[in-house]
Amino acid sequence: MTLHRRTLLASPAALLAMPAIAQQAPIKIGVLAPLTGVLASGGREMVDGVTLFVEQAGNKFAGRNVELIVEDDGSNPDTALQKARRLVEQAKVDFLMGNLLANTGLAVAGYVRGTGTPYFIPIIAADELTQRGRIPNVVRVAGYSASQTAHPLGDWAAKQGYKKVATIGQDYTFGHEQCAGFSRVFSNAGGQIVRQFWHPLNTSDFSPYLGQLASLGVDAVFAMETGADATRFIQQYANFGLKQRIPLMGAMNTTDQSVIRTLGAECEGIVSAAHFAEGADVPATKTFVEEHVKRFNRIPSLYGFAMYCGTMWVAKALEKIGGRAEDRAALLTAVRETELDNSPLGRPVKLDSFGNPVYDIYIRRVVRRPDGKFWNVPFASYPAVSQFWNYSPEQYMAQSPYSRDNQYIRQN
Amino acid sequence: MKRQLAWLLVLLAAAALPLLLSSYHVDLATRILIFAVLAMSIDVLAGFVGRTSLCHGAIFGVATYVVIWASAKAGWAALPAMAAGVLAATLVAALFGVLAVRTRGVYFLLLTVALGMVVWGVCLRWTTVTGGENGLRGQDMRPALLVARENFYWLVLAVAALCSWGMWRFVNSPFGLSLRGIRDSESRMRALGYNVPLHLFVGFAVSGFFAGVAGAMYAFFNEYVSPTSVAMAQSVAGLLMAIVGGVGTLFGSFIGAAAIILLENTVSWYTDRWQSVLGLVFIFTMIFAPEGILGGLRRLAASKGRTR
């Protein structure tokens, strides 16, 4: 109520001052990332990614200064929601970016649906947000939907001649979606999903699962793990002697740089599918990796890469509309129409009509570098893979979403 | 009379807040009121029955889940959805009450932790209904009149005031006095012929009812729920608010909730280490004002009265 009166009183002055303000006021970006809790290191890399791009752009997008306001979402949806409210209503940011855990992203998405604030989610992979439950002002710039990269890996596995595969995954939505993507395509290509194992988050001892995996007589294993679970799974898979016997495939997060950075030879040779590979022999990727190593002294993970590209994407859209970040409708339209051609991927990327990028997906393998560190190097690729694989969007979304009970496995 | 006038003034001051505050602060104030009701429901048990519960966050969350499910999945209107949420929470509390009333002290604490974990586990694993880790999102759950945050704040204020009055009457009723008797000496109450387990059961269910009301309001406030809303951290947060405000003071919960929520939301402006700051505040509260803020103020007032 006070707001109305104030704007009314200020309006003649504001009208006169308008052009000057538009040039001087900074573009305010609200960045949400988990800076405390178990995901803190990933959150830190997210902020690094944004910072690196903004620094390289000289702290200016479209001639306007850029102000980053970083808030800790605490890996907790309630906290994320509260912090998003503060950024939008108190700090008056022009748009929001970030969040890591799907549930924090879903909570914030529900909130911005009401406020209309543009919200960009380079990390949040929940299928729902760009499919059945999409929200017009939520765009997955430079992100991916969970099952998007798992689909082509299923196809690749079938073409390797693998007949029987078992999957193991973390028992939550992100795991269900990726395992379903892999299992669906693999079984429809004639393969057999022998068994699926689901384990709780933060499993410290995988031996019960590894013992069963060893005795199933499978040709390969698909593992969907994140963070410390991924580290432990890969270590124990090798310790159990399975590494030499059964080829291991992973979701992209299983062999993300944030995981294999801490590992040794155990991770060598694991195959995964992703739109980004830090070891790709592409000039743009090499430059990005070098700059990232120079600035932060570590090879970029998916978190740093995605936030860097996401920021780049929005910056490019802002250039198009003359930096008018306040004009939400124009910003969102520009972001949707932007084709990102100068990103570290080295290939142009654009969004599908649901706000999710269409990528060339690499099939990549963990390789030892001459300096002894490990990274993902691509050796095959699937061009123009959308979140719907080769199904039509309408047909795909008419079916119920992937879940633990809905894995779309064809019995062969 | 003087006392009623004072309460009326407090209520009027609280009602005037949205006229002075920004929209973000109105949201914070709404949140404080909701959590104060949760903290009070815990205080009913902790302060007046001598049973410290660590499952009230789960009871609160059950109401949140049911309200959002009824509204988003079953398409119910706001009022029946709210009623269903409160009813579900009360039933869960009654069930927990049956299991918990025969224990006391640390065993009661542990049992309630376990019961809370059961709720958390169900919400996490029953993906088809609860949405698992991703939780449930509601859409436009509030009736048109309550969409404006000031209006919603006033509603929450009214409900919180009613709940406070209800709980105050409850703990000061003859029944509430018998609960205090149980707190002070269970064996004597039993010897006097009181049905102690029944009293405890009713106390637990009533306290769960109020936690459910808070949880149902929270559903309309956030329009989102995930397993973190039923996790132990939620119960601990409610208990901490009751403790910081002052266990056994009932209305201290408002002060505790305000102190903790404001700290959480302002300290993080200045430092990444906001959780350390919160931790230090709790430690200092325990050392210097173990009876909580309101308890401490009362003690101060009493000692001043004596010296004069």
Side-chain angles (χ1 to χ4, degrees):
Chain A
M1 262 151 262
T2 45
L3 202 76
H4 285 285
R5 205 170 51 213
R6 206 174 295 153
T7 39
L8 200 73
L9 284 173
S11 56
L15 273 175
L16 286 173
M18 208 56 159
I21 284 176
Q23 273 165 16
Q24 282 160 9
I27 297 174
K28 284 188 174 181
I29 308 179
V31 180
L32 287 156
L35 301 175
T36 51
V38 282
L39 295 167
S41 67
R44 183 51 60 194
E45 289 186 53
M46 287 172 67
V47 178
D48 287 349
V50 179
T51 312
L52 181 62
F53 181 78
V54 173
E55 281 176 2
Q56 287 179 356
N59 281 317
K60 269 186 200 303
F61 292 170
R64 283 178 69 179
N65 282 326
V66 174
E67 186 185 338
L68 287 180
I69 306 174
V70 179
E71 271 282 11
D72 175 17
D73 72 19
S75 311
N76 175 333
D78 285 13
T79 311
L81 196 51
Q82 198 59 25
K83 296 297 168 69
R85 284 194 174 112
R86 183 181 98 66
L87 288 172
V88 170
E89 294 171 27
Q90 185 83 349
K92 308 255 185 267
V93 297
D94 294 306
F95 56 88
L96 292 172
M97 267 189 97
N99 290 117
L100 196 158
L101 266 186
N103 56 14
T104 57
L106 289 163
V108 175
Y111 164 67
V112 296
R113 199 181 58 85
T115 65
T117 315
Y119 174 41
F120 303 111
I121 46 169
I123 312 283
I124 304 297
D127 281 353
E128 178 189 350
L129 275 177
T130 48
Q131 293 177 11
R132 298 160 191 90
R134 64 185 177 282
I135 296 166
N137 48 322
V138 177
V139 187
R140 192 176 270 146
V141 288
Y144 67 104
S145 73
S147 48
Q148 188 175 5
T149 60
H151 287 139
L153 189 65
D155 186 77
W156 179 83
K159 288 186 177 143
Q160 293 316 292
Y162 296 149
K163 293 277 173 272
K164 295 163 134 192
V165 169
T167 71
I168 178 163
Q170 290 163 314
D171 195 1
Y172 74 127
T173 315
F174 186 51
H176 302 152
E177 287 174 346
Q178 295 213 51
C179 286
F182 175 88
S183 304
R184 182 185 197 177
V185 173
F186 180 70
S187 63
N188 275 295
Q192 188 190 351
I193 298 293
V194 180
R195 208 157 151 204
Q196 294 191 302
F197 296 96
W198 304 110
H199 64 83
L201 289 168
N202 293 319
T203 294
S204 50
D205 181 10
F206 283 95
S207 47
Y209 307 101
L210 293 171
Q212 294 185 67
L213 280 173
S215 60
L216 281 172
V218 291
D219 303 321
V221 168
F222 172 74
M224 150 53 222
E225 306 289 343
T226 54
D229 275 354
T231 310
R232 286 188 289 255
F233 179 81
I234 293 172
Q235 278 173 339
Q236 294 178 22
Y237 195 82
N239 291 346
F240 254 70
L242 291 180
K243 187 171 155 49
Q244 286 77 34
R245 287 176 45 203
I246 313 173
L248 183 60
M249 294 176 286
M252 88 161 94
N253 32 278
T254 308
T255 64
D256 183 51
Q257 187 57 227
S258 57
V259 173
I260 59 177
R261 194 182 282 149
T262 59
L263 285 169
E266 313 86 304
C267 67
E268 199 170 4
I270 302 175
V271 172
S272 58
H275 53 293
F276 172 67
E278 63 274 24
D281 190 17
V282 174
T285 310
K286 283 180 165 168
T287 318
F288 169 66
V289 172
E290 271 165 31
E291 281 162 352
H292 195 279
V293 170
K294 208 163 88 193
R295 178 71 173 77
F296 303 112
N297 199 23
R298 58 172 177 246
I299 305 172
S301 66
L302 183 75
Y303 302 122
F305 157 79
M307 289 302 278
Y308 178 91
C309 284
T311 317
M312 176 184 252
W313 199 309
V314 179
K316 193 171 175 199
L318 281 167
E319 298 282 346
K320 271 200 212 166
I321 57 167
R324 285 178 294 119
E326 300 79 10
D327 190 342
R328 292 168 170 180
L331 174 61
L332 285 165
T333 313
V335 164
R336 278 202 206 90
E337 287 169 357
T338 294
E339 188 176 317
L340 197 65
D341 48 14
N342 55 344
S343 79
L345 288 174
R347 296 156 290 169
V349 183
K350 58 184 174 194
L351 297 169
D352 64 13
S353 51
F354 303 89
N356 190 68
V358 177
Y359 290 114
D360 295 348
I361 301 287
Y362 289 131
I363 306 295
R364 42 180 218 177
R365 183 178 281 125
V366 179
V367 171
R368 186 198 290 267
R369 292 166 23 129
D371 65 357
K373 289 176 182 156
F374 291 88
W375 64 358
N376 290 285
V377 176
F379 60 90
S381 114
Y382 284 78
V385 176
S386 91
Q387 58 180 331
F388 305 107
W389 184 228
N390 49 21
Y391 306 100
S392 82
E394 295 74 27
Q395 178 200 347
Y396 189 95
M397 287 191 291
Q399 296 166 328
S400 49
Y402 292 156
S403 65
R404 179 155 24 108
D405 308 320
N406 252 331
Q407 291 278 313
Y408 290 93
I409 296 171
R410 210 175 84 181
Q411 301 301 334
N412 293 310
Chain B
M1 197 60 211
K2 218 171 150 190
R3 196 184 186 131
Q4 277 150 345
L5 200 71
W7 280 117
L8 197 69
L9 282 177
V10 169
L11 204 61
L12 278 177
L17 277 181
L19 306 174
L20 309 167
L21 297 178
S22 73
S23 65
Y24 167 69
H25 287 112
V26 174
D27 268 350
L28 271 190
T30 313
R31 194 182 176 83
I32 289 171
L33 289 175
I34 293 173
F35 276 91
V37 174
L38 171 67
M40 260 190 290
S41 77
I42 295 173
D43 194 20
V44 166
L45 285 184
F48 299 89
V49 196
R51 297 285 198 279
T52 309
S53 157
L54 274 176
C55 68
H56 270 56
I59 295 171
F60 170 99
V62 164
T64 317
Y65 261 104
V66 170
V67 171
I68 294 188
W69 187 88
S71 168
K73 296 267 165 111
W76 290 17
L79 213 57
M82 173 133 187
V86 176
L87 183 71
T90 314
L91 288 177
V92 168
L95 180 67
F96 287 5
V98 170
L99 297 167
V101 291
R102 282 169 200 284
T103 59
R104 71 187 89 155
V106 75
Y107 300 103
F108 183 86
L109 198 79
L110 286 177
L111 190 62
T112 51
V113 167
L115 292 170
M117 294 298 277
V118 170
V119 172
W120 176 78
V122 168
C123 291
L124 192 67
R125 303 275 307 211
W126 197 10
T127 318
T128 43
V129 172
T130 63
E133 186 92 357
N134 280 359
L136 289 176
R137 267 192 295 161
Q139 283 201 355
D140 306 320
M141 288 170 52
R142 297 185 207 165
L145 190 67
L146 295 175
V147 172
R149 64 193 77 220
E150 293 84 4
N151 294 357
F152 184 67
Y153 169 82
W154 283 318
L155 176 83
V156 171
L157 179 65
V159 174
L162 267 177
C163 286
S164 322
W165 180 77
M167 282 186 255
W168 182 77
R169 284 297 302 260
F170 179 72
V171 297
N172 286 302
S173 66
F175 185 85
L177 290 178
S178 66
L179 286 179
R180 287 193 225 186
I182 294 170
R183 175 192 66 190
D184 295 337
S185 172
E186 218 174 301
S187 51
R188 179 175 297 175
M189 290 302 280
R190 201 170 285 130
L192 286 170
Y194 283 92
N195 186 342
V196 170
L198 183 69
H199 275 67
L200 288 175
F201 168 77
V202 173
F204 201 101
V206 167
S207 139
F209 166 82
F210 286 111
V213 173
M217 290 194 291
Y218 195 57
F220 290 100
F221 174 65
N222 262 357
E223 303 197 335
Y224 175 80
V225 64
S226 73
T228 42
S229 294
V230 293
M232 198 168 98
Q234 189 88 330
S235 304
V236 173
L239 183 61
L240 276 177
M241 288 168 189
I243 291 175
V244 168
V247 172
T249 61
L250 214 55
F251 303 116
S253 295
F254 283 99
I255 298 173
I260 289 181
I261 289 175
L262 290 178
L263 266 178
E264 265 177 8
N265 285 284
T266 45
V267 178
S268 70
W269 280 63
Y270 302 105
T271 168
D272 283 353
R273 302 252 167 256
W274 56 281
Q275 286 174 330
S276 318
V277 176
L278 271 184
L280 286 174
V281 169
F282 295 142
I283 292 172
F284 284 123
T285 315
M286 286 304 97
I287 294 175
F288 296 110
E291 63 281 79
I293 296 174
L294 191 61
L297 287 175
R298 278 185 185 167
R299 184 187 57 178
L300 225 64
S303 68
K304 261 205 183 130
R306 239 177 282 130
T307 49
R308 223 178 273 152

